[in-house]
Amino acid sequence: MCLMVKCALCVHLIYSDIVQRSREELKAIRETNPGLKPTLAIIQVCLCIGLNVMQICLPRQCTEEEVSDEILRLNEDSRVYGIFLHLPQSFLSKSVRNAIKPQKDVDGVSDLNVGRVVLGDQRDGFASPIAGAVLEMLARHGVYLFVYAFRHMLLHLHSKVFTEMFVAVVICQHVVRSSRRWIQEQQYQPWRLHPLKLQPLSPVPSDIEISRAQTPKPISQLAQEVGLLPEELEAYGNTKAKVHLSLLNRLQHQPNGKYVLVAGITPTPLGEGKSTVTIGLVQALSAHLKLNSFACLRQPSQGPTFGVKGGAAGGGYAQVIPMEEFNLHLTGDIHAITAANNLVAAAIDARILHEATQSDKALYSRLVPSVNGVRCFSPIQMARLQRLGINKSDPSDLTPEEVRAFVRLDLDPEKVTWQRVIDTNDRFLRKITVGQANTEKGNARQTQFDIAVASEIMAILALTDGLADMRARLGRMVVGSSRNGQPITADDLGVTGALAVLMKDAIKPTLMQTLEGTPVFVHAGPFANIAHGNSSVLADKLALKLVGEEGFVVTEAGFGADIGMEKFFNIKCRTSGLKPDVVVLVATVRALKMHGGGPNVTAGVPLPKEYISENLQLVADGCSNLKKQIQIAHLFGVPVVVALNAFKTDTQAEIDLVCRIAEASGASAAVQCHHWSRGGRGSVELAQAVKKVASQKNYFQFLYNLQDSVVEKIRTIAQKVYGADDIELSPEAQAKIDYYNQQGFGALPICMAKTHLSLSHMPEKKGVPTGFILPIRDIRASIGAGFIYPLVGTMSTMPGLPTRPCFYDIDLDPVTEEIKGLF
Amino acid sequence: MCLMVKCALCVHLIYSDIVQRSREELKAIRETNPGLKPTLAIIQVCLCIGLNVMQICLPRQCTEEEVSDEILRLNEDSRVYGIFLHLPQSFLSKSVRNAIKPQKDVDGVSDLNVGRVVLGDQRDGFASPIAGAVLEMLARHGVYLFVYAFRHMLLHLHSKVFTEMFVAVVICQHVVRSSRRWIQEQQYQPWRLHPLKLQPLSPVPSDIEISRAQTPKPISQLAQEVGLLPEELEAYGNTKAKVHLSLLNRLQHQPNGKYVLVAGITPTPLGEGKSTVTIGLVQALSAHLKLNSFACLRQPSQGPTFGVKGGAAGGGYAQVIPMEEFNLHLTGDIHAITAANNLVAAAIDARILHEATQSDKALYSRLVPSVNGVRCFSPIQMARLQRLGINKSDPSDLTPEEVRAFVRLDLDPEKVTWQRVIDTNDRFLRKITVGQANTEKGNARQTQFDIAVASEIMAILALTDGLADMRARLGRMVVGSSRNGQPITADDLGVTGALAVLMKDAIKPTLMQTLEGTPVFVHAGPFANIAHGNSSVLADKLALKLVGEEGFVVTEAGFGADIGMEKFFNIKCRTSGLKPDVVVLVATVRALKMHGGGPNVTAGVPLPKEYISENLQLVADGCSNLKKQIQIAHLFGVPVVVALNAFKTDTQAEIDLVCRIAEASGASAAVQCHHWSRGGRGSVELAQAVKKVASQKNYFQFLYNLQDSVVEKIRTIAQKVYGADDIELSPEAQAKIDYYNQQGFGALPICMAKTHLSLSHMPEKKGVPTGFILPIRDIRASIGAGFIYPLVGTMSTMPGLPTRPCFYDIDLDPVTEEIKGLF
């Protein structure tokens, strides 16, 4: 919303998008002039309803023409809702009036009543009877409105000459109306979603062809349709936008919508289509049942995009568009994570080198240098001193022992756990030796690169609830330990603030849309084995506010339900405090046949005949896995809807059998869905089932208490979720547990790093394996993200490129700018 | 611009931002229906003026309320300039009229004349006398206007039933007016720049404080002020936007503005403020002399931002804002370069591994797999076959020898020249061993990481003139050589298309603004030693069109004029075909004193007394360097304005002396400037001098011909520019020259990799060294970027972190989101 007032040759604009700036200015005024109470009171009135002041100065001797010029310019500013002028009568000539009249006129400039502008004396501000009366009148209209010669005043404040301040209060019927609308906008807005029409073709074209055939809505339009304010949006081109976290504050009193998790049965190596079900479900809910809904998805790594075929934006007629933007840089979050992660790595090795080559004194004089003859600790160094128990703030007071403790992190190069990352499938970086140049003076050591999404910073992004929390988690990250066994953190390296700065934009979720023009948040994409494999808490929270009480947020968990869903409940929901209402469990006839004893399914090899012709016995036997995964969800007290993701080769008898067994196993409903070939229309039955089940009462609970011992927590998951008889700890794992307990990390939740291809740790064991002992090979911890991760088997954190990577097919038409060959 | 017409229950919108889509549709129509000429003629009329058609379908049985609802929604769409309705009379009820009237009304809906809508018969299209007459009338108004039931028609085309097509032509006075405006917008727009006011404080606050104290204009507003169309802009938040290259096409007939290069004398290690002069100059030109001007800057690496203090956004009151955005991720171009560069690296090592572990046959069957029983080469593989002289297109036709030649790049691991990159100061990556994991089967090799901006892809981005050219250059990049000495390219690896896809957004320059709200392009930032150190050709070209004939584009060259300016002329201008009008040569009293024999200047150490008190002798002696650099510019036939970047400690006598000597040495003018402390106002004198000199005729020429031999070209630069007696080639360098000549790379320009701290190769030799032989240690080539770079001494391509990196001071306030400590 915008006002414009001409007073004392200053033109004032009120933009709602500079709230923060005005608050800072208010703070500065307060600090500089403690005696300014009455005037500040008025400023506060202004700020408390979120109105903010910006001015454009016209030259002191400006001409009528310059005024009309200024007005014409404002006419073209799309953020200006209306224009209000306070001009000397002599300026209200025809040319000025003409400049205003035929142009944008939301609030009826033609009715402008110049006589109703009141100027208060600057020395009494709020106390002035005139200004007070005007404010009273405004209050009767239910709104305070206020325009202030802000910069003018500030100038005087700066020069400490405070003699010419004045207050101008303007009232006008249209201003009041427009302001009332502005205040309404601060409240929850019912959606006015205009879905995009889909005309599915048969046979179904390639994913990129489908994506390209649909013209997405401008992202600003979608944002407006779902009740976002323009100032809450940062567009990145026309199809992606970041959403400000201030939304959580604005809608804090708005009840959350229903919270739906999409999980899957134990999959084949081909995947069973959880993302596609997620998109299909929101397309059905929003575009067909006319229920507000949001999908929350993980951002995929760019590495596999160029490695092995397969996008992550859904598929067929259930996709996020434009899919190439989704699969490529998006809004740069993963690049920011890479930069932050690698700054920590560079800081570690540089610190090891500097400590190895400098005396305590030299280190100290460099770390706490004399600047213009003054030495002082930076805030992050003060924090380190406190952790060391040194309560001194003057650098010259430290004893030599204290100096030594302060300057030497004494990192053990053998015990650095922090790895560098890169968002490329680069297998040659799986094990490397760094520091071999002469300049590194013999400090070479072996280390590795992981794929960027395996960074702990990605896990933090997914679990944090705001900037302050993210900054704190980044500082807590343990990067290795000192030679005497103390954990060394990012805070010790002094790098926390820089990491927060690098991540300041990444923390905002990215808004995109489905093929049917319904909203999607894409945010974070941590690994599903060494991390928890769920999209961000923040995206879910924003979406739950936006959909409103009757709406739905559909979020997805990586891998099978035994891993992704268990972590969703025990880690993500515990962190966020959110309670899930329904689990949608995705199954395919193909995966069920595999669990029933069908032959191996391998990517790139044609499916054996069992999978393309009817085989009810295999299906019936394989439903054991489905039943077990339903039971796992019930352990947490959450009802299950089974979504049978239909393939062309499935027979009706097979489908009916699965649905019958699923319902007999306790699923609240079991339906087949056809979003891949038909879009949201193909998943309407699923959407109806989800809607019905979500309205039932449920009894969500965690599987373990954080205060249980680490071993107890691991055992609970192994026995209750995986069906193991017990667990077996390697001596290494036991030693780590002792170490974590000693360091006070024992009360963190558990994040199992296990294969997703079996309920057990043995990928070849399908169905519901029993009678096994789960071996815990090693245990690691992501202290910043806030979990301990036991390793069951070896986990690759760096994919490789095949002989023929899919980049052979990818190209860009230089004329049309069209991308070819991307899935 | 937007029209909306209701006919046959379809609501039509015309958006100018979907030009491309409509062209495709037209093409599709043409291909499907060759007989459709008359109708197509009308469509073409519509398309040739760039009007495009999109429709929103209302339900067939829609109610009056739904119509007003639709209108209300359009009112809120900021891209809709005006709304035109063709409705049955019964729909023009009060509620519908009310929905239209008080809302956005650019073109005067109140004047809507329903009776003047003409419907033509679909069967005769253009031939219809009615439609024809209407079009004639439109033509008399200088405009063709056309609204078409587009999707409706397409639907019928899809189903091959072409019976119900119709044409609706609408004429209305306001439409004509609005269209005329639209057509005008396609032409060059005079600027309506509204500078931001600056109120410089004394003493000058820190860079980030100054940056934060100024509220930038919304970037969309700045774009509009300088004549960009909304569809040419891709906002990245509110302060940065990418600009489409289509602008070059739109303004192809617009004459270029004046082209100004900012270069410097041989600097001290502290730098003499070229970027700051560049910003100060455009602030003076645009905000004070009211001449259109654009600054074109390089994007800095993010590495040093967290390493050693010093931003690249200018300084003091001559800065690009927000400076933290400039110095951090910006719009992700460097991240895209990193991703593209490292995809090549991963492809190289993976290929070496796969060739080492597979037979010819296995490689062939994987590289050219059978998909659904069909084997075929991808286009990039066909290109490789052609380079190998194999003119076959059926994979089964190749002989075993041809298969071998095709599948084996046979890269010599010792001769891989391609390095990985990272945008972090990580000294431990200067020399590393990769491939040490078991999975890489003993193929470990030594290599290194460079800082991202040292990537050849960065140099390509800086030199390319469009997507097609960039794609071609990416494909030509030589990554190493085969065991029998053949160069291996990105094309051979099959990765070119993927690189182009990764770089598709990076090729668009980023628009930002100075502290005084004048426009800046930030684009590319190649190294100034191993590459040419200049910002992008594309940004300069876009800016030269935007400023118009009387305007100025100010661009900066890295290092001293002997390096940056020489490369600007011989490499960048040769590639772009642009002719520079003026060189602004930046000098400081400090640097001149150093050249006159003053003591060493070292970063982080207080300046010796010679530099802070008057010493006319040192200044006079040091002007030898200034004189030599002026002469170098004159070698190229370009006039010079010397800009003396004033420091507090400079005395008037010193300043006068420099200006006198500069003018005596042939500079067209020499003026001091004070932009750092005063903003553009402090550089008005410089701006006036540049304006005057730019209007003089000049005689720009290159220093050498591309057809000269490589040795001759190097010698020319060494003798004429550096003042060397001769050059001396190492045997290694000589062998490389022979190799490049043999490969046909001999006609490329030369990009000298020499220290910037002396005109010679010896950093300690100040002033104008003579009597030396320039040693050429080695020669390398960036074939994709298109230059050969002789190495004079060793060049570090990976900076390190100091003991106390500046990240210790950097932090983010989690509440205000304010960044602290960034310079």
Side-chain angles (χ1 to χ4, degrees), chain A residues 369-404:
Chain A
S370 167
V371 178
N372 300 326
V374 182
R375 293 182 75 181
C376 64
F377 295 115
S378 70
I380 202 163
Q381 290 177 327
M382 286 298 298
R384 172 160 166 81
L385 286 173
Q386 279 183 2
R387 283 196 300 283
L388 292 170
I390 303 171
N391 289 315
K392 297 179 179 174
S393 59
D394 182 342
S396 60
D397 286 352
L398 266 63
T399 65
E401 291 68 37
E402 287 170 340
V403 165
R404 185 176 178 80

Side-chain angles (χ1 to χ4, degrees), chain A residues 21 73 194 215 235 237 325 329 351 367 420 426-428 433 435-436 440 471 502 504 804 811, chain B residues 21 73 194 215 221 235 237 325 329 367 420 426-428 433 435-436 440 471 502 504 808 811:
Chain A
R21 192 169 147 76
R73 195 179 66 81
H194 288 254
T215 303
E325 300 293 327
H329 308 289
R351 184 65 175 245
L367 283 169
R420 288 168 177 83
D426 192 344
R427 50 188 301 160
F428 272 61
T433 301
Q436 295 179 311
E440 277 56 70
R471 195 188 167 289
L502 281 166
K504 76 180 173 56
R804 188 187 192 285
D811 207 348
Chain B
R21 191 170 148 75
R73 197 180 63 82
H194 287 254
T215 304
Q221 181 190 330
E325 300 294 327
H329 308 289
L367 283 169
R420 289 168 176 84
D426 193 344
R427 51 188 301 159
F428 272 61
T433 301
Q436 295 180 311
E440 278 56 69
R471 195 188 167 289
L502 281 167
K504 77 179 171 58
Y808 272 92
D811 207 350

Side-chain angles (χ1 to χ4, degrees), chain B residues 29 88 108 160 240 350 429 473 532:
Chain B
I29 296 167
K160 309 273 179 205
K240 302 169 290 182
L429 298 179
R473 287 175 187 259
H532 63 295

Side-chain angles (χ1 to χ4, degrees), chain B residues 21 73 84 110 116 129 157 209 377 440 723 755 762:
Chain B
R21 191 170 148 75
R73 197 180 63 82
F84 288 82
S110 51
R116 297 176 72 176
L157 287 178
E209 282 169 327
F377 294 115
E440 278 56 69
T755 177
M762 299 158 285

